Amino acid sequence: MHLIDTPGHVDFTYEVSRALEACEGAVLLVDAAQGIEAQTLANLYLALDKDLTIIPVLNKIDLPAADPDRYAGEIANIIGCEPSDVLRVSGKTGEGVPALIDEVIRQIPAPVGNADAPARAMIFDSVYDTYRGVVTYVRVVDGKVMPREKIKMMSTGTTHELLEVGIVSPEPKATAGLGVGEVGYLITGVKDVRQSKVGDTVTLARGGATEPLTGYREPRPMVYSGLYPVDGSDYPVLRDALDKLQLNDAALTYEPETSVALGFGFRCGFLGLLHMEISRERLEREFGLNLISTAPNVVYRVVLEGGEEVVVTNPSVWPEGKAREIYEPIVKCTIIAPSEFIGSIMELCQSRRGELGGWIICPRPVSNCVTPCRWPRSSSTSSTPSSRVLADTRAWTTRRPASRKRHWSRSTSCCRVRRSMHSVRSCTRTPPLHTATR
């Protein structure tokens, strides 16, 4: 049995989707003191879309503030099970853990694949080791992967020789190979983590597969921000620090830029605000830097009158002249909240250039467990420019006290986010606003 711990934040949704692709089931772990968070529900939808077996579990039942009966009822209402089916465990005391392991063995189906087909393995994670280089974690879908064989990364076409193949149990342990359905690690001696991309397909260099596994895409930064050292003499140190940080973080992109006020620095691309905060914190803590970061912004795609297309990541380099079309990222989200907040949510979306797609009233579900939550609830869909969401999220996390922030996350119990590019007809014209259909 192999367990994969996935990140929960929306910035890392792609990594979560690849980890779920490598699994036959998922354990829905909910804090018995806090309840279901928005990111947990979003990842639950990803697992349901992939038709995985879901095992609901309440953790931290030993805490004084835990309310397992209430949150077991909420979980049951969401996934359609009985409250008694929700397992209750405590990682601190060990209560309920043996029952959880038995339930995983009983419910999760065995992996399937073709052992005689050309080898295909999916990368779901990779880390950089100072002494051994990039350690690539894979799940073998077809065939078999053995040491001393030459493998090929199907997205880039690069080939490497396998120096070691092993499993994690929980310490790394070298083996004679990995077969169908097995999860393990590959070591090739490569020093650049960008050559082992999450979601890529690994096959044999000779007689390998011709069709890669589905779902791979290149990491695409959604948030850009400038990083400048407070002391200008630390610019070479910052450059070396970013080089080393990128060894562990293939999604981080950066390029040099200059500012009249701040001097020399780098324009960095991140997956989201959390990714940006983590990267800056690591640069300051691990490399002893004192940094200044500019206000984050999204990427725009500008089509000029002559048909030339320009990608803008910095407002200071906005192209001059008339623009035929401007594209900006759009956040498509589903909001579930008590019905008394309908008016406030409509006003909030419209003030942020959002387009409401409609409302669905969710009546109180029939359940044997009484949950003291506010019903009925309403579900709305909205398309809002990512730049407005970005500004509001940054202001909320920096200004709101912690207690208000926790209350907000409970009131809006679901926020399922997708990102796409939509066209804006003019850089000075606001898209029409739509009222919600009741």
Side-chain angles (χ1 to χ4, degrees), residues 18 51 76 122 125 181 217 296 347:
R18 296 301 88 202
D51 200 23
M122 189 186 69
D125 196 9
R217 64 177 174 84
E347 181 181 353

Side-chain angles (χ1 to χ4, degrees), residues 24-92:
E24 277 71 35
V27 176
L28 176 62
L29 201 61
V30 177
D31 194 319
Q34 295 183 357
I36 302 176
E37 301 287 344
Q39 59 193 22
T40 306
L41 202 54
N43 291 336
L44 171 62
Y45 286 143
L46 291 176
L48 292 175
D49 289 342
K50 298 183 183 301
D51 200 23
L52 298 183
T53 302
I54 307 297
I55 300 178
V57 179
L58 280 172
N59 190 25
K60 301 181 182 179
I61 59 174
D62 57 297
L63 294 179
D67 193 353
D69 293 335
R70 170 186 175 182
Y71 295 122
E74 285 194 354
I75 295 175
N77 294 332
I78 291 174
I79 66 176
C81 68
E82 293 295 328
S84 57
D85 296 333
V86 180
L87 302 180
R88 306 181 184 193
V89 304
S90 171
K92 182 179 180 180

Side-chain angles (χ1 to χ4, degrees), residues 185-207:
Y185 66 88
L186 311 177
I187 296 178
T188 60
V190 175
K191 301 297 183 181
D192 189 356
V193 74
R194 288 171 293 182
Q195 297 189 27
S196 295
K197 301 178 180 180
V198 173
D200 197 1
T201 302
V202 178
T203 188
L204 299 180
R206 180 177 300 176

Side-chain angles (χ1 to χ4, degrees), residues 245-303:
L245 184 61
Q246 199 175 46
L247 293 175
N248 276 305
D249 190 353
L252 174 66
T253 62
Y254 63 92
E255 60 182 13
E257 73 168 0
T258 59
S259 170
V260 177
L262 301 175
F264 293 96
F266 292 91
R267 192 73 180 170
C268 302
F270 307 96
L271 297 176
L273 285 179
L274 178 64
H275 186 209
M276 182 186 72
E277 293 174 4
I278 292 174
S279 300
R280 177 180 172 177
E281 180 67 24
R282 289 189 61 185
L283 289 171
E284 293 180 336
R285 185 179 67 249
E286 297 178 13
F287 301 96
L289 292 168
N290 192 8
L291 301 176
I292 298 176
S293 60
T294 61
N297 61 275
V298 298
V299 58
Y300 292 88
R301 189 155 53 92
V302 182
V303 180

